[in-house]
Amino acid sequence: MFSEIAKVFGATPNFVEVSGRKLAYSELSPPAPKGTILLLNGLSAKRFGWYKQFAEFGKNYRTIAFDHRDVGDSDLAADDYTPPTKPTMPPPFCTSSA
């Protein structure tokens, strides 16, 4: 299963900085996407849980899956998970590049 996930997400994630922490994300997009799909997972789940949907949606849509803080490839935090330290939603990688 890991080799199948690696084929879909690639060897290394992309990163965006939010409130001083790096969040890991993967993005797949065709040349002319029909729109954007942001795949949201549970707080303790990694973006890899979307590997089957990620590949399929990525054929026609800009598709983004990310790891929350303290999960997967995102930065670990030493402080509590309180409203002031939660990442802003949507993360900056969701903004339009057009």
Side-chain angles (χ1 to χ4, degrees):
M1 184 170 103
F2 181 76
S3 62
E4 190 176 348
I5 291 171
K7 286 179 192 174
V8 173
F9 286 97
T12 58
N14 299 304
F15 291 95
V16 63
E17 190 170 315
V18 178
S19 302
R21 291 185 189 91
K22 290 191 308 185
L23 296 181
Y25 72 97
S26 297
E27 180 176 355
L28 188 59
S29 184
K34 295 179 180 180
T36 299
I37 296 175
L38 177 62
L39 299 170
L40 301 173
N41 46 289
L43 290 177
S44 63
K46 298 178 185 178
R47 69 189 186 283
F48 299 143
W50 293 108
Y51 77 99
K52 291 185 179 182
Q53 295 87 349
F54 186 79
E56 190 62 31
F57 292 150
K59 293 176 183 176
N60 296 302
Y61 297 89
R62 177 181 179 216
T63 305
I64 302 166
F66 71 99
D67 289 336
H68 291 279
R69 65 170 251 193
D70 300 322
V71 178
D73 294 309
S74 290
D75 281 349
L76 298 177
D79 55 341
D80 293 333
Y81 199 67
T82 59
T85 64
K86 288 182 183 175
T88 56
M89 293 302 272
F93 50 75
C94 296
T95 59
S96 174
S97 59

